[in-house]
Amino acid sequence: MRRPMVAGNWKMHGTRASVAELINGLSRQVLPDDVEIAVFPSSVHLVQVSAELAGKAVVVGAQDCATEPQQGALTGEVAAFQLLDAGCSLVLVGHSERRSLLGDSDEVVTRKFAAAQSCGLTPVLCVGETLAQREAGETLAVVARQLAAVAGKLGVQVFERAVIAYEPVWAIGTGLTASPEQAQEVHAAIRSQLAAQDAELAGRVRILYGGSVKAASAAELFGMPDIDGGLVGGASLNADEFGAICRAAGS
Ligand code: 13P
């Protein structure tokens, strides 16, 4: 059985004060034991969040890492090694905002994925199509290509220590959620792409859905056979809403 995961991507939000308030709010939530819960603050808040969540069953991840795993001369970047030192166990790679707005190519995403794993971080590989690609009927091909870029270069076995997040770009921050059936179709395709090389591994990999997940839509999405939880943006900034989404992933 795959343990569900619900992850909150706080993106470029928050101040030290608002982050402390959000963590207080999370501490008051009844969170399910059978769900792995993670938050992804901006890098400037990672140390604070790790310290304030110490002893709680919520793990911390970063939103990106450098292509180089170790510290060095790379102004403005944060190495996976430094993220580990700051208390992270996870890191997002290939979020669509980085792919489309900040130029992260499949090759760069693959290097970041490898850098994360080489330091013992678990990468959460984000994949997803734009609205134009969906309308052109290219959804499965786009997602397959993004997945193959990593699996082809690093080998399918790397997904033994990784999580995949399917995030249709048109559903991110728009209030448009993929229907459970639309999401399930893509999740099943991702799993079968991995299964073609290693069926047992494919059965163990967690595939999260992201894109306007709210408490009201979570249970139905998480009820689909290949959806193992969610990567939540806007709704994760509200502790009550995020708590409800976490509970929707529990049994
Ligand atoms: P929203 O939940 O705000 O649509 O964001 C999704 C996302 O990009 C999570 O990584």
Side-chain angles (χ1 to χ4, degrees), residues 7-11 92 95-97 126 165 167-168 171-176 209-214 231-236:
N9 176 7
W10 295 354
K11 305 194 178 182
L92 304 181
H95 190 280
S96 71
E97 286 149 19
C126 304
E167 298 205 302
I172 294 178
T174 58
L176 295 172
Y209 168 78
S212 298
V213 176
K214 303 281 184 286
L231 180 54
V232 185
S236 70

Side-chain angles (χ1 to χ4, degrees), residues 160-187:
E160 204 67 79
R161 292 183 295 121
V163 175
I164 298 170
Y166 167 56
E167 298 205 302
V169 179
W170 50 271
I172 294 178
T174 58
L176 295 172
T177 313
S179 70
E181 294 74 21
Q182 281 174 321
Q184 167 60 26
E185 181 193 19
V186 181
H187 284 231

Side-chain angles (χ1 to χ4, degrees), residues 21-86:
E21 207 175 306
L22 183 50
I23 291 172
N24 271 336
L26 284 179
S27 307
R28 287 194 294 272
Q29 296 296 312
V30 178
L31 297 173
D33 293 336
D34 56 349
V35 177
E36 184 173 357
I37 298 167
V39 293
F40 292 76
S42 81
S43 59
V44 80
H45 296 129
L46 286 172
V47 171
Q48 177 191 350
V49 173
S50 301
E52 291 178 0
L53 285 174
K56 305 212 167 66
V58 179
V59 296
V60 181
Q63 298 171 14
D64 187 40
C65 65
T67 52
E68 299 304 320
Q70 299 299 325
Q71 57 187 310
L74 209 51
T75 303
E77 289 295 271
V78 183
F81 165 82
Q82 294 173 305
L83 296 175
L84 191 71
D85 185 55

